[in-house]
Every structure is written in structure tokens, then in C-alpha cells.
Amino acid sequence: MTPDHLTAADLQTSLGRRIRSRTVRWLFMGAAAVTVLVSALIIWTVASGAWTFISQVELTRLADIGWFPRRGLFDLTTLLVNSAQISVIAMAVAVPSGFGAAFYLSEYAHPRVRRVMKPTLELLASVPSVVLGVFAISFITPSILTNFFSDINFFNKLAAGIAVGLLVIPLIASISEDALRAVPQALREASAGLGARRVTTSIRVVLPAAMSGLMAATIVGFSRAIGETMVVTIASGGGDTSLYNLSLYESGGTLTSAMAALGLGTDQVAGNNLAFQSLFFLGALLFAMTLVLNMVGDVIVRRLQNRY
Amino acid sequence: MSVLTSPAGIAADTADALRRRPGADVAGAVFKWLLIGATVFATGFLAVLLAVMIVDGWDVLSGNLWHFLTHGFSQRSAAEAGVWQGIIGSLQVALVTGVFAVPIGVATAIYLVEYAQDSRFARIVELNIRNLAGVPSIVYGLLGLAVFVQTIHGFTQGKTVIAGGMTLAAMVLPIIVITSVEALKAVPSSLREAAYGVGATKWEVLSRQVLPAALSTILTGTVLALARALGEAAPLILVGAATGFLSFGDANMLETFTGPYTALPVQIFNFARLPGADWGVNAAAASVVILVLVLAVNGLAIYLRNRFEKQW
């Protein structure tokens, strides 16, 4: 060993220590492999269950009067329409509020206010969804919605959508705020230097620059809303069946609440029963939809990070 | 107009001040107050939520709280039913979740930050973690039902705390990996270089320098992840958390890990779907209990972060 080529290995002297260091590496790699295994198992589970369902069900049963799994009626349109309606209501609540909070924290708020508000948003993100479900049936419907819509059902999609929206606000606010803060200060300085007011800078300069990030926040929030289960199960899903209807004032099950309802009865429906298999078919649909949405959101966020 | 912290802020304030009639910026004022309104709405509903739950659950919270916290579910009447089994079940599930998710999650993060040099495998793991983080919780329930309850029945004994804990472990795994990766990346490389310089092996650098330096942040992320698991009901419903009456028989604490179980959020769901106003009171009271628990755990995490946070 020539002294002018001293490497880290020379300093580590004993071979035993180096061998231990190498071995540990495999442990860490093994753990990383487990996370890939989790994904593989999820895909295998939903795909094989969904295939069993699709290959056994009469396809005409997938378009019928509603979702009655135990009677062999699996109308997908019912669930998809309800999921879409509730998620759109949720976005109507969460997007203005989440964007507004993000703009306030990023463009207007004093740093001290920001330091308090950011952890508060984190705290809000941890409110259990069952609690919001209870909130929907004990407050949103009886104390608010009945004042405006007298013939509203006790279980209804509108209240479920609003509660899901409340749940998604922190997520949207947090991603949007990151997007706004990623806009370089130089743009704001240049705008202000031209004599623009704060509102002009916010709307004409910062908003367009952060547009793709705000879109990503909306997409990820939408994906979260589609996947939300307990709020819908408590506030709108009701039982394990739902008849096709478009009214927001009526109850209706979504992809997720139908799964929860089937799950509650797994002891009764277990075995090679189609109702049990439909659980995995819905899971596969949900998995595919959220995966696509999240990947699109992810690509947009990444592109944004690389821009400035 | 007191934000004199950045050149842009100063310039914006100056521009506003130079306007001839400073009070006439109606659009600006409206915009600002709209944003403040949105922020108040976004954060204020937690207070409304708490208030509503406390008011609705007041009958139980004021007179009957001790009974409520120390008794199991009863089918006979809402007044007799309590959440004791749910609290115990949730703590047990959280324990199992931590046992499985923390070692695997932290080790994966260590692999990604310290070992993987942008290899193909590392890129797959990273992409995989990002996608797992967006999978809806109920889909993890399917994983638990098919794999943890059925395939490895011999290990989990079917629909037990162990199966529930493993299901939630899979769910929080990406959160733990992502926060741990951030924590490890925040450790300055000079610390590693100094350790290598005095002859430490990679493992010694990790175990004696990097991990202790990142520990508090990793701990915070872990506590936040477990708080998330504490509030989750949907996957547990699929892996068989009991929604009705539950008898432990004469099982001792250890045996309940491999017997039927329930969890606090699942009990709230059960209260909420039972007809009758008195069950609604229970649902609200149990919601207050879980909110206090979750907020306390989050508070602990924030405390840990502030107490041990290092400035590099």
C-alpha cells in the first residue's frame, strides 16, 4: 500500500469491522425489498380477486338498477356516479378554502402567523375520518342543510361530500402552499418593482407561475376524496345496497362504502361467493383510479420542482 | 402591512403606500379578507368540530365518563356501553403497527439515503414508496384480509390484533419511510466525512453518528404515523375488528393479541350507525375521547420535535 493512495479501507484496519459493515447493508436492502413486496402483494390481491369476479359474473349484471351484491346485482354506474358526485362536492369545498389558506400563508401572513398555522394544518390532517362522519350526521345535515333543503334525507350525499371536503382541506392547503413558495422571490420583486399591488402580484404573477402545482394539489386531493371511506359509510352509504339515483339529497353508496359494507359482512359472504369477490373487484378499480391520479400529480410536482 | 421581511414585501408595501389614495384599494382589501376567511374556515372547523362533539356528548362526558371509559360494549343500552375494549384494542394495534412498520420503514430509509447510489433497484423502491403513500386505506384492508388473515393464518391466527396491526403497518410504512428519509438527508455530510476520516466503517458512521443525529426527527415522524393508525377504521373493518358485542372471556392481556378485538374508531362507527339519540351521544363522547387522544399524540410529536431539534 503506497502512502499516497491511502483509502478509507486502510483506516478501518480490522477486516471483521469491514465484514460486519457489508453484512448490515444486506439487512437494509432486505427492508427496502419488503416495501416492494407490499406493493406486489396489494396488486396480486386485488388483481386475482377482481379476475375471479369478472370471469364468473354475468356481464349484464354490471349494469342494472343499483348495487345489491347479495342479490347478484352489481351496477357499477351507481357506485361510480356516487363516488364522482361526492368527490366533486368535496373539491368544491376544499379547493377554494385550501387555495385561499395557501395564498394567505404564502403571500400575506406574517412569519409568526405562518409558524403557528403550518403545524395547525398538520394537526387537522390527523383528525380521524370517523369523527367527521359523526360530524356530518350530527351537525352538517341536521343543523345546516335542513335549513336550506327541507326534504333532505337524513343520510345524504351532500353532507358526506362536505365532510370529505373538510377532511381534504389540509392536504390541498399544504401541497398548494409548497407550490406557491416554490415560486422564486425574484418574480414577486420584479412585479412589485413595476408598481403592482400585492393582489395584482398574487393573481397575475404568483398564480400563473404556481398553476401546475395547484393543479397537482387538486388532483391529489381528488384522489384522496375518492378513497375516503368512513365519512361516506356513516353519512351516506348507509346499508350495503344502493339504488341508482342522481339526487344529492338522497343517500347513496360509493366504491369505498360498498367495500366497507361488504367487509362488515365478510363472515356471511366469505367463500366463493360473488358478493365477496366483488369486494376485490371494487378494490382493484379504486386502486387503479387513485394510482393514475397520484402518478399524474406526482409528475406535475416533479416538473415544477425542476423548473426554478 | 407589517410584513417587512423580504425585498418583495417591502417593495409591495412601498408600492401600496405610494398610491394616491391608499384607502381606495378595494380589490386588494377584498382579496385579502377572502384569503383570511378561507384560512379561518380551513383551520377553524376543528374548533367547531370539538365544540359540537362536546355538546352532543355532554350527557356522557359530564356524568358518566368514568363508566364510559372503563366498560366494554353492551347491546342492552347505550348508557351501559363503554369504550374500554376499543381503547385497549387501539393501543394493542398501534403497538403491533409500530413493531412491524418502524424497523422496516427506518431501514428502508437508511438504504435509500445511505446505500443506494441511484441504482435501478433504489429508483424502483422510491417510486414504489410514493405510490404506496397514495393508496386508499381501505385497499390496505383488502391486503390484510387476503394475505394477513387468510394466507398467513398460521402466524396471525386469523382476524386478530396481529393481523390488524400488520395491516396498518403496511399503511403507515410509506409515511415512516418518507419522514425518515427527510430526517437522514438533513444530517450534514460533514458529520459523515469526519467519521470516515478517523477510520469508521460505514456501519459505524451510521450507528454512532448519523442515526443518533437524526433520531428525534425520525421519532417525530413515527409518532405522527402511529397517530394516523390510531384514527383509522376502514382497513380494520375489513380485517375483522368487532363492531358489536365483544367478549374477551377469561383471556389475559397476552392472549387478547390472538383473539377477537376492536378499536376505538371502529366503535365510534358502530355507535354512529345504531339508531336512537342515546347512541348518538355515545358516538359524540367517543369522538371527543379519540380527538383528545390523537391531539395529545400529535402534541407529543411536536414537543419532541421542538425539544430535540438540532440546528446545523
Side-chain angles (χ1 to χ4, degrees):
Chain A
M1 188 56 60
T2 52
D4 59 334
H5 260 79
L6 197 63
T7 65
D10 298 318
L11 292 169
Q12 289 158 1
T13 57
S14 115
L15 187 65
R17 284 166 60 208
R18 260 182 284 160
I19 289 176
R20 190 183 314 146
S21 189
R22 297 262 169 78
T23 331
V24 167
R25 181 200 158 103
W26 290 102
L27 278 180
F28 293 136
M29 208 164 168
V34 169
T35 66
V36 179
L37 181 69
V38 169
S39 283
L41 285 174
I42 289 178
I43 294 171
W44 175 76
T45 300
V46 295
S48 65
W51 176 249
T52 316
F53 176 77
I54 280 292
S55 55
Q56 289 180 7
V57 72
E58 293 169 49
L59 291 179
T60 52
R61 293 297 179 87
L62 293 180
D64 214 299
I65 53 163
W67 179 260
F68 298 90
R70 282 181 180 70
R71 283 166 46 196
L73 306 180
F74 304 99
D75 181 35
L76 280 179
T77 320
T78 304
L79 300 185
L80 288 172
V81 164
N82 290 342
S83 275
Q85 284 181 322
I86 287 178
S87 302
V88 167
I89 299 168
M91 298 322 278
V93 173
V95 166
S97 168
F99 282 7
F103 263 101
Y104 180 71
L105 291 182
S106 156
E107 306 301 316
Y108 283 83
H110 192 277
R112 212 178 300 140
V113 176
R114 228 190 130 257
R115 264 204 300 282
V116 178
M117 294 304 267
K118 274 293 255 189
T120 310
L121 282 177
E122 276 175 51
L123 208 60
L124 283 168
S126 67
V127 171
S129 57
V130 274
V131 176
L132 272 156
V134 174
F135 186 63
I137 57 171
S138 68
F139 185 73
I140 298 180
T141 298
S143 302
I144 297 180
L145 296 182
T146 44
N147 297 334
F148 299 98
F149 316 103
S150 54
D151 56 345
I152 198 163
N153 195 327
F154 180 71
F155 298 108
N156 63 80
K157 298 181 213 166
L158 188 57
I162 293 172
V164 173
L166 292 176
L167 203 66
V168 179
I169 289 175
L171 181 70
I172 292 191
S174 172
I175 303 179
S176 312
E177 215 250 354
D178 289 343
L180 294 179
R181 290 180 71 80
V183 174
Q185 279 297 324
L187 288 186
R188 296 187 182 87
E189 286 158 18
S191 167
L194 292 173
R197 291 167 299 166
R198 219 173 252 274
V199 51
T200 316
T201 305
S202 295
I203 295 177
R204 305 281 279 276
V205 177
V206 180
L207 178 67
M211 200 45 136
S212 58
L214 298 179
M215 243 168 65
T218 310
I219 292 171
V220 172
F222 193 78
S223 151
R224 175 88 173 71
I226 290 182
E228 175 44 46
T229 307
M230 296 318 294
V231 171
V232 185
T233 307
I234 293 174
S236 168
D240 51 356
T241 62
S242 43
L243 196 64
Y244 177 79
N245 76 71
L246 284 173
S247 168
L248 297 177
Y249 310 143
E250 297 296 327
S251 70
T254 61
L255 289 171
T256 53
S257 78
M259 287 173 72
L262 284 166
L264 281 171
T266 42
D267 292 329
Q268 290 89 28
V269 299
N272 288 328
N273 188 310
L274 268 186
F276 181 68
Q277 298 302 340
S278 72
L279 176 58
F280 291 88
F281 178 66
L282 294 182
L285 270 184
L286 187 65
F287 179 77
M289 282 161 64
T290 52
L291 186 70
V292 169
L293 286 173
N294 287 326
M295 282 177 117
V296 171
D298 206 53
V299 167
I300 295 176
V301 167
R302 255 146 217 280
R303 199 172 291 163
L304 186 79
Q305 277 168 354
N306 295 335
R307 188 191 297 168
Y308 298 115
Chain B
M1 294 292 121
S2 59
V3 195
L4 295 179
T5 48
S6 64
I10 295 168
D13 288 341
T14 314
D16 289 347
L18 286 176
R19 231 156 287 281
R20 235 176 338 138
R21 291 180 299 134
D25 183 11
V26 178
V30 167
F31 184 67
K32 184 181 174 186
W33 283 103
L34 277 178
L35 295 188
I36 291 177
T39 312
V40 169
F41 180 75
T43 50
F45 86 83
L46 181 62
V48 177
L49 188 69
L50 255 177
V52 167
M53 293 302 156
I54 290 175
V55 169
D56 285 358
W58 187 247
D59 282 350
V60 168
L61 293 172
S62 61
N64 213 3
L65 184 61
W66 187 245
H67 178 93
F68 190 65
L69 289 178
T70 54
H71 284 74
F73 182 72
S74 161
Q75 268 161 327
R76 267 167 298 176
S77 76
E80 279 180 45
V83 292
W84 170 245
Q85 291 168 320
I87 295 174
I88 291 296
S90 280
L91 293 180
Q92 286 180 318
V93 168
L95 182 70
V96 176
T97 302
V99 164
F100 280 96
V102 174
I104 298 176
V106 174
T108 304
I110 291 174
Y111 174 76
L112 286 176
V113 177
E114 305 290 333
Y115 286 94
Q117 274 108 24
D118 205 33
S119 65
R120 173 181 292 203
F121 178 63
R123 278 204 300 273
I124 291 174
V125 171
E126 244 187 85
L127 180 71
N128 173 55
I129 291 292
R130 281 207 304 275
N131 287 334
L132 275 182
V135 173
S137 60
I138 192 151
V139 174
Y140 285 100
L142 289 179
L143 169 78
L145 180 60
V147 177
F148 300 149
V149 172
Q150 291 175 352
T151 308
I152 57 168
H153 184 275
F155 175 67
T156 58
Q157 303 297 314
K159 298 181 166 181
T160 61
V161 169
I162 297 181
M166 287 177 76
T167 305
L168 294 190
M171 188 191 86
V172 298
L173 191 58
I175 310 177
I176 292 183
V177 173
I178 290 169
T179 52
S180 302
V181 163
E182 295 299 321
L184 291 170
K185 276 186 177 164
V187 176
S189 55
S190 57
L191 202 70
R192 296 184 182 86
E193 285 152 15
Y196 284 126
V198 294
T201 63
K202 184 137 201 164
W203 168 238
E204 287 162 351
V205 172
L206 264 178
S207 61
R208 312 241 175 109
Q209 301 299 328
V210 178
L211 279 183
L215 196 62
S216 68
T217 325
I218 291 178
L219 212 63
T220 309
T222 304
V223 173
L224 286 175
L226 291 182
R228 178 86 169 275
L230 209 61
E232 197 61 61
L236 290 183
I237 285 176
L238 288 194
V239 290
T243 46
F245 178 72
L246 174 67
S247 167
F248 285 150
D250 50 3
N252 64 37
M253 200 53 117
L254 206 62
E255 286 163 347
T256 57
F257 274 96
T258 53
Y261 71 106
T262 188
L264 193 49
V266 177
Q267 284 197 314
I268 295 175
F269 166 63
N270 187 42
F271 287 145
R273 71 193 185 126
L274 288 168
D278 44 352
W279 290 109
V281 176
N282 278 8
S287 297
V288 173
V289 172
I290 202 171
L291 277 173
V292 168
L293 257 176
V294 167
L295 294 185
V297 172
N298 273 283
L300 174 74
I302 291 168
Y303 170 78
L304 282 175
R305 183 164 61 194
N306 293 341
R307 173 77 177 70
F308 296 108
E309 194 171 45
K310 283 200 180 69
Q311 296 292 332
W312 298 104

